[in-house]
Structure formats: C-alpha cells, structure tokens
Amino acid sequence: MSTITTKDGTEIYYNDWGSGQPVVFSHGWPLSADAFEDQMFFLASRGYRCIAHDRRGHGRSSQPWNGNDLDTYADDLAALVDKLDIKNAIHVGHSTGGGEVARYIGRHGTKRVSKAVLVGAIPPLMLKTPANPGGLPIEVFDQLRAGVQADRSKFWIDLSLPFYGYNRAGAKISEGVRESFWLQGMMAGFPASYFCIKAFSETDLTEDLKKFDVPTLVLHGDDDQIVPIGASALLSSKIIKNAKLVVYKGAPHGMCTTLKDQVNAELLAFIKG
C-alpha cells in the first residue's frame, strides 16, 4: 500500500495513477479516495497524474482519535503534496474535501497549485449563524451525529438516498452505488464519522476563500440535499476572485458518480483551458 506518515504518526493512504500534470483529489465525508475513481481513471487515461488520499480516519488510512478537523486535514494534504513533491497541481475537492482544499490554500498558499475545483463543496460555512442566516440549523447536524451513534451502518444506507438524489421521483437508482457508499462509510472509523460532522459544519472558510489566487471552478447541483447551494457555491463563487460558477440543474450531491460523464468533461475542459 502507498502511504505517508504525518508528524503525529498518522498513516495516510493514497492512490497515484498515471503520469503528467498532477490532479489531486480530496474526497467528502464519510467516503474515501474511491469516491473519485471515475474522474481519476478518466483523467489518468488522458495524460494526467491523478492522486487521491483517504483522509485521516477514513478508508485505508489510520483512525486516530485526534485531528479530525479542517486544520489537520489541510496539513495532512500539505504533507502528502510535499512528500510526493507535487507541483503545478489542479486540486479538486468534493464536499468536505472542498473545505480541505480551501483550508489548504488558506494555510499553505498556492505555490504548488495551478488551479482549484470545488464540487458540491461546503465553503464558506454550512452552519446557520447570525452572520450566516442562509445556513442549516445546528439541529440538522445534531441529527447526523445521533444517526452515526445510533446505528452507523443503517445510517449510511439511508444517507445514500438523498446523497445521490435517489429519493427524487423518477430517479434511476443503482443499488451498486448505494452499496459502495455504505462500504466506504463503514471503512471510516467511528471517531472520524462523528467528529468530522463538526469540522464540516462549523468551520468558517470565508477568509481561506479570499486567499485563492488561481483559476477556480465552482461546480454544484441545484438539488444538492446535503450541501444546499444557497449557502455554499452561490456565496463562495462570489468570494473567490474570478471564480467560474457552473450549476447543474437538478443535480444531487453525489454528481461525480450520477453525472460522471458530464463532470469528467467539465473537469477536462477546465484543466485544459
């Protein structure tokens, strides 16, 4: 297995496919690098080096009690980038991974970054506050925590429906996709499954977004039931200088899977542009 070890002893697993300009992927909660396999295979087949790690506590990486926060996630990403000496990279982050990319740029700058892509991403802030009235109330995230604690396995099975928009009328449901979501969720450790909820819901990434100084694509579905577009992409695309916002009508949170051909073409065009 390909792994690096961070300064606190956590082993971070990663996939490294193909050769050429690097594209680095940061996945969402509670998934793993496998959530990006469609994008990675597509781009690696077209002359790009595709790298995706399992965030600490997720997938095949270590399951530490500590460090399940955006600062540490970003520092783990920086450690991977430094260890592999990745330069001129396109960073692609989905959901919590979009927050990881934002905090990585906020903490470590863009000296190794050429472009950024935020897909269904959590920035600037998911939680409803007086300063962020369009966010989701804390009760929504308390329910997620309760679901993880009560019956984690069933919770992942149930969450796969809104994640991929399979709860919408006329949706073409893939039980295989749902089982993959469940499997990736169960590979995540209990601490990360629980503590990451606070990380992705309560971390304000506004100042990080202001530090973006590379071409940025913000991609979001307007029927995203996990990260509603109004408090995320519609705001972050205004904060990031010269960001390109692309909204997919009717698309769910998990559109990298359900609309993989469209997303793949969008990514390739942006990378080449």
Side-chain angles (χ1 to χ4, degrees):
M1 293 211 324
S2 299
T3 62
I4 65 155
T5 303
T6 66
K7 61 185 179 183
D8 72 348
T10 299
E11 279 201 351
I12 302 293
Y13 169 90
Y14 65 94
N15 291 326
D16 190 346
W17 301 349
S19 59
Q21 185 178 9
V23 186
V24 181
F25 294 88
S26 294
H27 66 79
W29 169 90
L31 304 176
S32 69
D34 297 347
F36 275 119
E37 63 185 13
D38 292 315
Q39 286 68 48
M40 291 180 66
F41 191 83
F42 175 85
L43 292 172
S45 301
R46 285 159 178 79
Y48 294 91
R49 179 187 179 190
C50 294
I51 300 151
H53 64 293
D54 291 352
R55 185 172 299 115
R56 66 168 54 216
H58 297 67
R60 291 141 292 201
S61 292
S62 300
Q63 299 184 4
W65 181 259
N66 296 321
N68 295 289
D69 57 79
L70 263 298
D71 284 356
T72 309
Y73 295 160
D75 292 349
D76 289 348
L77 175 58
L80 177 69
V81 165
D82 291 347
K83 180 72 172 180
L84 300 182
D85 196 23
I86 298 166
K87 298 171 182 172
N88 194 36
I90 297 98
H91 277 267
V92 182
H94 173 249
S95 197
T96 300
E100 179 178 288
V101 169
R103 184 50 54 95
Y104 167 73
I105 289 175
R107 284 170 75 83
H108 300 278
T110 55
K111 60 184 181 293
R112 292 177 177 267
V113 182
S114 66
K115 294 182 180 180
V117 184
L118 304 180
V119 187
I122 61 170
L125 175 63
M126 284 196 71
L127 182 67
K128 181 178 182 178
T129 66
N132 188 47
L136 295 170
I138 189 70
E139 289 77 16
V140 170
F141 304 108
D142 288 340
Q143 287 170 8
L144 296 181
R145 280 182 276 265
V148 166
Q149 283 190 293
D151 186 341
R152 200 160 62 99
S153 181
K154 182 179 185 301
F155 179 68
W156 299 140
I157 293 170
D158 292 345
L159 186 62
S160 69
L161 289 171
F163 194 97
Y164 296 105
Y166 289 160
N167 57 345
R168 296 307 196 206
K172 185 179 179 183
I173 298 172
S174 166
E175 291 300 331
V177 166
R178 295 189 67 198
E179 289 173 9
S180 177
F181 182 92
W182 171 85
L183 177 61
Q184 290 179 66
M186 290 308 294
M187 286 174 70
F190 203 124
S193 300
Y194 186 88
F195 294 131
C196 186
I197 297 169
K198 181 180 178 68
F200 72 65
S201 62
E202 297 182 34
T203 306
D204 190 338
L205 296 153
T206 303
E207 294 305 313
D208 303 274
L209 298 177
K210 292 177 181 177
K211 295 180 182 178
F212 279 48
D213 57 2
V214 294
T216 303
L217 173 65
V218 178
L219 195 56
H220 218 101
D222 70 0
D223 192 31
D224 191 323
Q225 300 170 65
I226 308 299
V227 181
I229 190 171
S232 55
L234 297 188
L235 297 180
S236 60
S237 60
K238 293 176 182 174
I239 298 169
I240 298 169
K241 290 185 288 285
N242 302 317
K244 179 186 179 185
L245 172 65
V246 177
V247 178
Y248 284 3
K249 188 170 178 56
H253 191 57
M255 63 183 179
C256 289
T257 299
T258 62
L259 296 172
K260 61 184 178 183
D261 292 342
Q262 199 173 343
V263 171
N264 290 349
E266 195 87 55
L267 284 177
L268 184 61
F270 177 70
I271 290 168
K272 283 184 167 183

